[in-house]
Structure formats: C-alpha cells, structure tokens
Amino acid sequence: MARGEGVQTRSSSETSNQFSALDPGGRSFSDDARNPYFLSNSDYPGASLVPKILTGCENYSSWRRAMTVALIARNKLRFVNGKLLAPDEDDDDFELWNRCKSTVISWILHAVSNEIAESIMYMESATTIWTNLEERFNQKNDPRVFEAIKTKQSLAQGSSSVTNYFTRLKSLWDLIQEYRPQPACTCGAMKIIQEYHDED
C-alpha cells in the first residue's frame, strides 16, 4: 500500500476552518483558548464539573460558585449567562454553537440531583436552565443567615489550629456575604465598611 493510501485526512484549509468562528464583536479567534466553541478531549458531555451535585436551596450558593468557576475555566460561561446568542440556523457556526450548548446542558444535568434533572430535562436552552435554577433555589434565607451569625459569634478556636479556625470563620463570612451582598456604591462609603469588615 502506498504511503497514506486509504487514510482519510483533512485538507489544511478544512483544518484551519474547524474553529473559524467569530465572536459577537466580529473578531476572529487566534487560538482555541479564546474560542467559546472549542471543546477539548476532556470536555465530553458526561463530564463531572463540580465535586457536589445541586440538591436544593441549602447548597445552591456553593454549587453555583463551583459551576461558574468550572464554566469560566472552559470558556463556556457565556452559554449560560445569555451573552453568546445562537447564530441563525443557516450560519456556518450554528452547528458548533448547538454542539457546545448541548454539552453545557449535559454538564448541568450531571451536576444536579435526579429530581432536579427531571424538572429541567426538556428545556432547550442552557440559559433558560441556569435562570430557572437561579429563580428556584437562590432565595433569601433569613434562618440560614441568623444561624451563620449566631455560629460566628460563638465560634472559638479551642483546640483547632489557627488555619482550621480561620477557614471555618471565613466560610461563615462568605455565607453571610452571599445572602446579604453589599449594595453598589460610588460615594466610597462601602469601601470603608469593607475595610472594617476585613479588620474584624
């Protein structure tokens, strides 16, 4: 058999155009890392992106944070926050967009409990799923805030190391901050309040 005979290869133009998509601003992607349509070998639909699945309001905050970090690392956050809109169906990039959207939906389905997965299974858009979960589980939880403040006030180092004590304390601070975020401010007062918080 002659060298290369019977082996299917892609032409150079076909390879170079595999990820030739443009971003919403019309700029071409110079490398895969900047291309939201790029999927590496580890970005398969059944991949587990976060260590713990979403079970409800009690762990939504930490789950959302972990999922956001994972999606940013894979350059796929725009598929859930609505900033990367679907191209027209006759657009050359539509199939790439649709494949990535379906992959992101699969990641979300594998990162939630079976009960939650059943309720979002037939939603066509990753953005719709993300927004639906936000509306259902990111609720004000005054009892959790009360318990966190109460626990923080009574927390003592005891026999724990400084590192373990601070880790526990910071997790309580972060939980309170998540449910009671600081309002936007341009007068500079919030910066002072944040400095007081950091000192505490």
Side-chain angles (χ1 to χ4, degrees):
M1 180 186 298
R3 184 177 180 181
E5 185 179 354
V7 179
Q8 293 183 349
T9 59
R10 293 181 178 178
S11 66
S12 59
S13 61
E14 189 177 359
T15 302
S16 63
N17 290 330
Q18 184 179 6
F19 296 111
S20 60
L22 301 178
D23 71 1
R27 179 184 58 199
S28 62
F29 298 107
S30 57
D31 58 73
D32 292 338
R34 297 171 62 91
N35 188 346
Y37 299 140
F38 174 73
L39 293 170
S40 69
N41 291 334
S42 61
D43 292 334
Y44 55 94
S48 178
L49 270 60
V50 292
K52 295 183 179 180
I53 65 172
L54 174 65
T55 56
C57 295
E58 66 279 356
N59 75 327
Y60 174 77
S61 178
S62 58
W63 177 88
R64 184 182 187 278
R65 172 61 179 166
M67 280 294 294
T68 299
V69 170
L71 291 170
I72 290 174
R74 290 163 173 79
N75 199 18
K76 298 294 182 289
L77 185 63
R78 286 189 287 172
F79 283 91
V80 300
N81 65 14
K83 292 186 178 181
L84 186 60
L85 301 178
D88 293 332
E89 291 192 15
D90 57 351
D91 191 288
D92 291 340
D93 293 333
F94 179 77
E95 290 300 325
L96 292 173
W97 179 89
N98 195 42
R99 181 180 63 173
C100 289
K101 178 211 69 172
S102 298
T103 300
V104 171
I105 290 176
S106 182
W107 286 342
I108 296 175
L109 291 175
H110 283 83
V112 301
S113 67
N114 292 335
E115 293 78 9
I116 296 175
E118 287 292 331
S119 69
I120 60 177
M121 179 69 69
Y122 298 103
M123 294 182 183
E124 292 292 334
S125 165
T127 304
T128 301
I129 292 175
W130 193 256
T131 302
N132 179 272
L133 295 176
E134 174 88 13
E135 292 174 349
R136 288 164 59 188
F137 301 117
N138 190 29
Q139 303 171 359
K140 293 292 183 181
N141 199 326
D142 291 338
R144 292 203 70 196
V145 173
F146 173 76
E147 287 297 329
I149 294 175
K150 183 179 178 181
T151 302
K152 184 188 70 170
Q153 292 172 341
S154 61
L155 190 66
Q157 180 179 349
S159 59
S160 301
S161 67
V162 173
T163 301
N164 290 339
Y165 171 67
F166 178 74
T167 300
R168 176 58 177 151
L169 187 60
K170 188 176 185 307
S171 68
L172 293 170
W173 283 337
D174 291 344
L175 177 62
I176 295 170
Q177 179 70 19
E178 178 68 25
Y179 285 105
R180 290 183 175 175
Q182 294 181 355
C185 175
T186 57
C187 67
M190 291 308 302
K191 181 180 179 181
I192 297 175
I193 294 175
Q194 183 61 44
E195 289 175 354
Y196 289 157
H197 171 77
D198 293 341
E199 288 177 5
D200 292 341

